[in-house]
Amino acid sequence: MREGVMPADPEQAAALELVHRLRDIVLRWEFAIGEFARTTGLHATDVRALVSLLDAERADVEATPSWLAQQLGMTSQATTAVIHRLEAAGHVERLRSRTDGRSTRLQVSDSAVDLGWQFFGPLLDRMIATTRTLDPDQQKLVKGYLTAVSEALT
């Protein structure tokens, strides 16, 4: 087999196989996100915005419009358009900041959370069940590996 397709070094080939498994997961996940966007009438960027906002809530980060623009790598004007689309669809709410009453924070609406669970719930349940087959040490190892790979991508 050609070197550029499969390394001759067995260790390099084994490492590359893991990278290919990750790529396969990413492609399948992106397909699911695209299907969710298609069935809900959302733009792919809208879905990315919702995911970012949910991640912020899980991390107890106050998500402001400027924070969201940074997460999406978009201008404030383009992010405002995303926020307006999501607000109009009832997926995002603007709330008063917890720390500065003059500014606003963004939060995914309960109905959008429910919609996400309706679509992604079965997929997430299967992924959780698969993860639960690992013992705590294996889960820790996988988490460390995935964290390191995520950091390598930045």
Side-chain angles (χ1 to χ4, degrees):
M1 184 163 293
R2 292 183 298 157
E3 177 68 22
V5 176
M6 180 59 74
D9 174 39
E11 287 182 21
Q12 180 90 358
L16 188 58
E17 178 60 25
L18 284 177
V19 171
H20 287 287
R21 293 301 92 213
L22 282 172
R23 186 213 53 227
D24 183 54
I25 291 165
V26 168
L27 291 174
R28 290 171 188 256
W29 190 249
E30 284 296 318
F31 179 78
I33 290 171
E35 192 64 17
F36 176 74
R38 187 186 66 72
T39 61
T40 58
L42 296 172
H43 295 255
T45 303
D46 297 347
V47 178
R48 284 182 41 228
L50 289 171
V51 169
S52 292
L53 293 171
L54 290 168
D55 287 347
E57 187 171 344
R58 278 188 286 276
D60 200 28
V61 170
E62 190 163 276
T64 62
S66 60
W67 175 90
L68 183 59
Q70 184 179 21
Q71 299 305 303
L72 298 175
M74 297 171 59
T75 65
S76 60
Q77 295 86 353
T79 304
T80 298
V82 170
I83 294 168
H84 286 315
R85 282 196 307 267
L86 291 171
E87 274 186 305
H91 297 315
V92 167
E93 302 166 341
R94 287 182 193 254
L95 304 170
R96 287 268 176 240
S97 168
R98 291 185 203 107
T99 57
D100 179 0
R102 296 169 294 158
S103 63
T104 61
R105 63 184 171 94
L106 303 170
Q107 181 174 299
V108 177
S109 69
D110 290 342
S111 62
V113 170
D114 291 343
L115 181 64
W117 275 108
Q118 288 172 16
F119 187 90
F120 288 105
L123 173 62
L124 293 172
D125 288 343
R126 292 192 305 272
M127 292 170 69
I128 290 167
T130 299
T131 302
R132 284 183 151 170
T133 66
L134 304 174
D135 66 46
D137 287 338
Q138 291 171 316
Q139 288 184 28
K140 185 177 178 182
L141 180 69
V142 171
K143 181 180 178 182
Y145 171 71
L146 293 175
T147 299
V149 168
S150 180
E151 289 170 359
L153 291 172
T154 59

